[in-house]
Amino acid sequence: MSVVVRFFTTIYYNKKALIGFILVVFFVLMALIGPLFFHFSTAIDYSARLDPPSFAHPLGTDFAGRDTLTEIVIGSQQVLSVAFWAALISLSAGVVIGILAGFIGGVVDEILMIIINLVLTIPSFSLNLILAAIFSVTSPVAFGLLLSVTAWAPLALGVRAQILSLRERDYITVARLMGLGKGYILTRELLPNIVSYLTINFIQSASGAVQASVGIMLLGLVPYSVTNWGQMLNIAINQNGGLSNPSGVYYMLSPILALTLFTFGCFLFANGIDDFFNPRLRTS
Amino acid sequence: MEDSYILKIANLNVDYVTRGSVVHAVSDVSLSIPAGKLTAIVGESGCGKSTLTTALLHYGMGQRRGAILYQDKDILKLKGEELRKFRWSEISMVFQASQSALNPVMRVGEQFIETYREHDRKVSKKAIVEKASQLLEYVRLDPKRVLQSYPHELSGGMKQRVMIALSLLLDPKVVILDEPTTALDVITQDAIFDILLKINREFNTTMILVTHDFGIVAKVADYVAVMYAGQVVEYNDVRRVFKRPQHPYTKGLIESTPSLLSNNEEISEIDGTPPDLRNKPQGCVFHPRCPIARPICSREIPAARIEGDGMVACHAYGHPLYAQESNIEKVGG
Amino acid sequence: MGALMTIENVSMTFQMKKNLIGGPAPQVHALSEVNLEIPQGSIVAVVGESGCGKTTLGKAIVGLQKPTGGRILYDGEDLYNMSGDHFAQYRKQVQMVMQDSFAALNPMRSVGQALAVPLQKLGIVKGRKAARDRVIALLESVGLVPGEQFLAKYPHQLSGGQRQRVCLARAISLSPRLIVADEPVSGVDVSSRLSILKLMSSLNKELGIAFVYITHDLSTARYIAGQGKLAVMYLGRLVEFGDLQSVLDRPRHPYLRALLTAVPAPDPDLARNRPPLPLKDLDLPDATRLPSGCSFHPRCPLAAAGRCEQEVPQLHMVGASAVACHFADMADIS
């Protein structure tokens, strides 16, 4: 059975993962091809300010009478690319450091563990805020890097723990007895066992990065962009009284809904990953 | 002799539903357990023997159908407080891994007190400790030392004996022993079974032993039920089972056990592997592995034939066609 | 036949962690001055209770654990003092089969992958096709027929017996001269145990592979090593060693006698009419505080004051076997 067929079979049988997959794909498509269909214009129409949802504006309008749905779609590109880079950078760093610590062990492990534990004690959101205030974050890569400054540490700790538990397994002992080298043991015996762990963590890191990035945007610490979900929330709450003004509520709820759906989708999708990678859970 | 049976299992079925498929762990088992005797339930891993015994306590997972009568009460109908009181005071259990059955952060003495108090709040601590000490002495442990110990301070064999003492604390009528010595070595195993036999005789406690080891069965059991793929295929007095096994599976199991006594020249294994319980063979569950299978065996489920105290579920039993090719009858020596 | 491996005075002492109060750190003597010879192409059964050091001995033989004392010779050469080439040879030629066949196979890899990739990696066969053919032949030689059918199977799709056969196929794929099998059948269904023992026996006869069969079960030891040797261990020491048949015919060490009494006979009449255990104490002593002198003396019915608790008995020949007991000759009479 090809990998693709197996993937869809697994997803089909795991309904939670299916819903998650659809949500994630929905947001990814929104970011990739959404801008082809939605065009954001800066034109201001104060007569249509903070309108409730209608046929013309399914999610209502913003403080300047612009379509909220268009803003969400355009904004998804930035939010998702930041999430992607953040997840990729923090996971790569986490994997490399976790494997070095767990597989080499000894002094290397001890030094890396001190560093990991040090990073874990830093309040990450505060550090992110300070760094965002010092450096001007302009590109998604830079934003992702910023979010990864501390996010790699728990991943490294997790990967190390996985490696430590796996390296004591009998099949690793047998591989050693057969005279198979460290490279073989790492790539052929250990890594296949943590692929599902890594994939789940990639999705969860991405979803965590979305939360964190929106938090930083909400506080206005990244360059202003009116379509940015966090910026939208910022405006909705601070300038339009989203919490007290009944007509501002749709403008405030739209980015919240988008965020919630994406995070929820990531959570559900991650749920099905192990079914796909673990031969024991595969549906035959 | 209706009253000589303490437990009557009637048409018991236990299914586990997992990921869309149904595992028939126990299929249509009817079995009566004689009071005051030691009945062994023998079979390979996955034959349903543990599922059957946990059903006797109405404990754990699985959908149960059928009835388990204990003193005219159906255990499977007990609920809530009634069920809680019933467990341990009427039927108790000694598990395979006593290590995990004892609470690691509680002294052994406290565990005896807690267990008793869960069932009877009025009894004084002193009385419980006294009773616990008697039981510990009975299982050849030093009560003064053991009651003050934490589980990790005891060896595996000692923990298992503590568990046996704990299982007797509320004077149950039935004790279920689920592979009680698999983790232990031969000498400890031997000593523990000597203790269990003594309890069986002196307290008249009915015992149900779950095991895969025919050597142990030979040593301790009065009656033997052989299980295969969720069904009881043979039941009889222990001597009859060893001298004249009727079911080809029983015969195969006995013959495939290496011994210190025989020359081991004639022993041979049973071909094949036990079936997938989600997808059992048609007809007799044993027919794909059976050396004497005939066409009927793959079509019809053999009915339970009862003769005296014994039971066997095999088409070959008493059938003239099998007389020559089956050497079931020859096993005598 | 010459000795394939010689275990010379091997000891293995583990240092436990210090306790909080700061008392002396307890030591566990997993092996004490063990001497054992494994002849080429032979079967040596190592029998003892849990904690007797039999598994540690196995690990020392396959080179997983370096002894803290003594030497292990392979083809007359010290394991920890041989050239890199020779050690690489030893690595291939001494393999291990473990108790838990499920843990011994990578759950993420199919049988085909688990067997073929090492063959290619170690340069035993060249190319995928050749590796596949070799794997099929290996699977069939351990009774998994037709071999093709097992290539794509994952460990969880096999029965315990089939998994143990895969482990044996993997072990023989490197053409070893010795396989250490640590309780290889205790995780296998009773009805299939015998076939695994028979398989090992035929690998021994047909391929000349020597086996060290580690077990707590004297009956299976007797079945597989009927023509081989029996080594009985107690608390890290070898207490009796010799040809299995003659050792079992005339057990000399009081511990072995107790062990033999405790093995249940698969016959109700015999099992119920056997003498009581010839032991003074049921429980094994604490491994960190071994008894002085002969470590069996607190449980031994023959122990004599003034000697057994003071003097460690050395292995010496009594009749046809080597026994470590001050009263081995007397035990013969009693």
Side-chain angles (χ1 to χ4, degrees):
Chain A
M1 194 160 49
S2 84
V3 175
V4 179
V5 175
R6 209 179 76 217
F7 175 78
F8 283 105
T9 324
T10 312
I11 290 288
Y12 177 78
Y13 281 105
N14 186 332
K15 297 296 178 213
K16 276 192 267 181
L18 179 64
I19 296 169
F21 178 69
I22 291 171
L23 282 171
V24 171
V25 168
F26 174 73
F27 278 99
V28 170
L29 286 180
M30 183 194 280
L32 290 178
I33 57 171
L36 300 177
F37 302 100
F38 292 87
H39 301 284
F40 181 69
S41 89
T42 45
I44 293 172
D45 176 8
Y46 279 113
S47 64
R49 187 178 143 80
L50 297 176
D51 271 353
S54 63
F55 272 114
H57 304 294
L59 292 175
T61 59
D62 78 346
F63 62 95
R66 293 170 299 212
D67 183 37
T68 310
L69 178 63
T70 306
E71 292 182 352
I72 294 278
V73 171
I74 302 294
S76 69
Q77 206 160 33
Q78 192 194 5
V79 171
L80 261 65
S81 60
V82 167
F84 171 79
W85 286 110
L88 190 70
I89 295 167
S90 56
L91 192 68
S92 309
V95 167
V96 171
I97 293 167
I99 287 178
L100 283 177
F103 197 61
I104 297 178
V107 186
V108 176
D109 184 30
E110 272 177 48
I111 293 171
L112 288 175
M113 275 306 284
I114 291 172
I115 298 172
I116 291 171
N117 280 313
L118 207 69
V119 175
L120 282 174
T121 55
I122 300 172
S124 53
F125 194 64
S126 319
L127 180 69
N128 287 341
L129 292 185
I130 295 166
L131 290 176
I134 298 173
F135 303 102
S136 64
V137 178
T138 44
S139 73
V141 182
F143 203 164
L145 197 63
L146 172 84
L147 292 172
S148 307
V149 164
T150 54
W152 62 271
L155 292 168
L157 202 64
V159 171
R160 174 183 174 271
Q162 293 275 322
I163 297 282
L164 282 185
S165 119
L166 287 168
R167 59 180 279 180
E168 296 304 319
R169 302 282 162 94
D170 283 354
Y171 55 84
I172 303 295
T173 306
V174 171
R176 277 167 59 203
L177 288 180
M178 293 176 85
L180 295 159
K182 282 201 153 87
Y184 171 91
I185 290 176
L186 184 63
T187 55
R188 301 296 191 126
E189 304 279 0
L190 290 177
L191 282 183
N193 279 285
I194 59 169
V195 168
S196 102
Y197 178 83
L198 296 181
T199 316
I200 291 168
N201 272 286
F202 180 84
I203 296 170
Q204 283 172 350
S205 301
S207 130
V210 168
Q211 302 276 350
S213 69
V214 167
I216 290 170
M217 293 170 191
L218 173 66
L219 293 167
L221 287 166
V222 282
Y224 183 86
S225 153
V226 78
T227 60
N228 188 301
W229 295 359
Q231 214 61 263
M232 288 167 74
L233 262 178
N234 182 335
I235 296 165
I237 293 169
N238 295 329
Q239 293 172 29
N240 296 313
L243 296 170
S244 51
N245 174 4
S247 58
V249 86
Y250 299 106
Y251 181 51
M252 183 186 72
L253 282 182
S254 299
I256 292 180
L257 182 74
L259 262 176
T260 311
L261 281 179
F262 179 69
T263 315
F264 187 57
C266 286
F267 167 76
L268 289 180
F269 182 43
N271 185 286
I273 293 292
D274 204 34
D275 286 11
F276 171 66
F277 283 108
N278 189 341
R280 294 192 77 173
L281 300 174
R282 277 178 205 161
T283 341
S284 45
Chain B
M1 288 279 284
E2 280 286 296
D3 297 326
S4 62
Y5 295 114
I6 190 156
L7 273 169
K8 284 179 207 155
I9 304 166
N11 302 93
L12 181 70
N13 285 276
V14 185
D15 295 341
Y16 297 108
V17 182
T18 52
R19 290 182 158 253
S21 58
V22 182
V23 177
H24 305 285
V26 170
S27 319
D28 215 22
V29 165
S30 295
L31 187 67
S32 293
I33 307 290
K37 302 286 184 197
L38 198 153
T39 303
I41 299 176
V42 197
E44 298 177 76
S45 48
C47 73
K49 54 191 194 297
S50 289
T51 305
L52 176 67
T53 45
T54 41
L56 299 181
L57 285 168
H58 200 12
Y59 178 79
M61 295 183 301
Q63 298 173 350
R64 305 190 177 98
R65 280 171 291 125
I68 302 170
L69 294 177
Y70 174 79
Q71 294 175 343
D72 301 324
K73 263 186 300 195
D74 185 352
I75 295 173
L76 297 184
K77 292 210 173 86
L78 295 181
K79 279 195 207 87
E81 191 65 359
E82 206 185 356
L83 179 61
R84 196 180 67 76
K85 292 270 183 197
F86 167 82
R87 289 180 189 149
W88 222 258
S89 59
E90 300 293 334
I91 302 184
S92 66
M93 189 157 182
V94 177
F95 298 91
Q96 188 177 132
S98 57
Q99 278 79 349
S100 51
L102 292 169
N103 186 339
V105 295
M106 238 192 208
R107 285 180 206 277
V108 169
E110 293 167 51
Q111 309 203 24
F112 275 86
I113 293 166
E114 291 285 317
T115 308
Y116 210 119
R117 288 273 168 92
E118 277 299 305
H119 289 263
D120 189 348
R121 296 236 152 255
K122 287 179 283 250
V123 180
S124 74
K125 245 185 194 171
K126 197 164 159 268
I128 301 173
V129 169
E130 206 165 290
K131 170 127 203 211
S133 305
Q134 274 176 10
L135 289 169
L136 288 171
E137 267 172 37
Y138 209 84
V139 296
R140 294 170 73 179
L141 288 169
D142 172 15
K144 279 201 200 70
R145 190 194 143 202
V146 170
L147 285 173
Q148 291 303 314
S149 301
Y150 287 98
H152 74 268
E153 295 169 321
L154 307 172
S155 73
M158 293 166 89
K159 270 185 275 200
Q160 196 58 286
R161 279 180 277 159
V162 167
M163 204 54 222
I164 290 169
L166 194 59
S167 76
L168 296 169
L169 184 64
L170 302 171
D171 301 312
K173 301 229 174 27
V174 181
V175 178
I176 298 168
L177 309 157
D178 188 357
E179 306 253 14
T181 58
T182 25
L184 307 173
D185 44 71
V186 205
I187 289 178
T188 319
Q189 165 180 295
D190 184 76
I192 283 180
F193 278 114
D194 280 342
I195 291 166
L196 287 170
L197 279 177
K198 199 169 149 220
I199 292 165
N200 172 244
R201 299 217 180 95
E202 290 177 15
F203 296 176
N204 208 24
T205 312
T206 305
M207 291 190 171
I208 300 172
L209 168 71
V210 175
T211 183
H212 63 266
D213 187 336
F214 263 100
I216 294 170
V217 174
K219 180 180 158 74
V220 300
D222 296 305
Y223 292 93
V224 183
V226 181
M227 281 189 81
Y228 183 75
Q231 297 171 14
V232 173
V233 295
E234 180 162 2
Y235 172 82
N236 218 326
D237 168 74
V238 66
R239 286 190 170 76
R240 293 196 129 239
V241 167
F242 274 91
K243 308 277 176 195
R244 281 186 66 188
Q246 297 295 338
H247 198 282
Y249 178 65
T250 315
K251 188 171 169 273
L253 272 189
I254 293 174
E255 282 190 351
S256 65
T257 312
S259 150
L260 281 175
L261 303 164
S262 74
N263 58 16
N264 287 337
E265 268 167 17
E266 285 174 12
I267 65 176
S268 58
E269 70 272 20
I270 306 173
D271 284 336
T273 48
D276 181 355
L277 293 177
R278 279 165 296 199
N279 201 356
K280 287 191 198 176
Q282 292 269 306
C284 171
V285 276
F286 187 60
H287 88 261
R289 303 177 74 186
C290 184
I292 57 166
R294 306 193 123 247
I296 189 180
C297 301
S298 51
R299 288 198 310 267
E300 279 175 40
I301 298 175
R305 318 280 198 88
I306 295 164
E307 190 189 277
D309 279 344
M311 182 281 277
V312 60
C314 177
H315 289 299
Y317 179 72
H319 195 289
L321 263 179
Y322 288 89
Q324 265 105 35
E325 40 199 295
S326 132
N327 38 11
I328 290 180
E329 303 291 322
K330 288 194 301 197
V331 176
Chain C
M1 268 183 285
L4 181 62
M5 283 193 104
T6 313
I7 289 131
E8 264 184 17
N9 261 325
V10 164
S11 297
M12 194 89 81
T13 307
F14 298 115
Q15 195 76 40
M16 308 271 283
K17 279 193 180 144
K18 277 188 185 160
N19 59 23
L20 282 175
I21 309 154
Q27 289 187 326
V28 176
H29 299 278
L31 292 177
S32 308
E33 295 154 24
V34 172
N35 286 289
L36 189 69
E37 205 168 83
I38 301 159
Q40 304 207 14
S42 65
I43 298 185
V44 178
V46 179
V47 174
E49 297 171 80
S50 46
C52 74
K54 57 188 194 289
T55 295
T56 311
L57 179 66
K59 284 186 177 168
I61 293 173
V62 296
L64 276 178
Q65 218 147 35
K66 192 181 173 184
T68 49
R71 299 194 304 164
I72 295 177
L73 306 179
Y74 179 69
D75 267 344
E77 260 190 288
D78 187 344
L79 264 198
Y80 295 95
N81 210 353
M82 57 167 67
S83 70
D85 273 2
H86 285 200
F87 191 78
Q89 281 296 315
Y90 157 81
R91 261 279 162 271
K92 281 188 196 172
Q93 290 172 353
V94 178
Q95 291 300 314
M96 189 169 195
V97 173
M98 301 177 175
Q99 171 173 3
D100 183 352
S101 59
F102 198 75
L105 292 168
N106 194 332
M108 304 296 285
R109 307 182 72 204
S110 68
V111 170
Q113 290 170 326
L115 291 177
V117 181
L119 284 177
Q120 285 173 271
K121 186 85 191 165
L122 295 169
I124 294 169
V125 292
K126 295 260 181 291
R128 291 182 70 160
K129 173 80 178 63
R132 191 187 131 94
D133 290 346
R134 175 68 69 88
V135 170
I136 291 172
L138 282 167
L139 289 172
E140 297 192 342
S141 70
V142 295
L144 295 172
V145 181
E148 285 95 338
Q149 271 188 16
F150 291 89
L151 291 177
K153 294 257 201 252
Y154 283 89
H156 73 275
Q157 295 168 318
L158 304 173
S159 72
Q162 290 171 330
R163 277 198 298 269
Q164 203 57 289
R165 284 170 194 271
V166 172
C167 292
L168 276 162
R170 178 174 58 186
I172 63 170
S173 69
L174 306 184
S175 314
R177 294 165 73 197
L178 172 68
I179 293 177
V180 174
D182 190 352
E183 300 273 15
V185 297
S186 54
V188 173
D189 269 331
V190 225
S191 67
S192 314
R193 280 184 190 176
L194 193 67
S195 60
I196 300 288
L197 294 173
K198 281 185 172 169
L199 172 62
M200 292 197 294
S201 193
S202 77
L203 293 174
N204 169 256
K205 286 198 188 85
E206 283 157 29
L207 304 175
I209 302 171
F211 275 86
V212 171
Y213 177 71
I214 297 171
T215 185
H216 68 282
D217 182 356
L218 273 164
S219 317
T220 57
R222 176 171 178 261
Y223 182 77
I224 190 169
Q227 310 301 317
K229 306 269 183 194
L230 176 66
V232 182
M233 294 188 67
Y234 182 75
L235 292 177
R237 283 183 190 276
L238 195 59
V239 295
E240 187 154 353
F241 180 69
D243 288 336
L244 180 130
Q245 211 48 57
S246 56
V247 170
L248 289 188
D249 284 347
R250 280 187 109 173
R252 313 245 173 196
H253 199 283
Y255 169 67
L256 177 59
R257 291 167 163 245
L259 206 58
L260 281 167
T261 314
V263 176
D267 179 310
D269 294 317
L270 290 173
R272 276 151 223 244
N273 295 313
R274 65 142 186 80
L277 275 184
L279 274 182
K280 282 201 297 200
D281 189 0
L282 274 187
D283 294 301
L284 274 174
D286 186 343
T288 59
R289 267 167 287 163
L290 289 183
S292 60
C294 171
S295 49
F296 188 57
H297 85 262
R299 303 173 77 187
C300 183
L302 297 177
R307 181 141 191 221
C308 294
E309 82 275 21
Q310 282 170 9
E311 210 183 303
V312 178
Q314 299 301 317
L315 267 187
H316 59 285
M317 291 307 287
V318 181
S321 45
V323 189
C325 171
H326 295 305
F327 299 102
D329 309 292
M330 257 179 64
D332 204 26
I333 305 158
S334 68

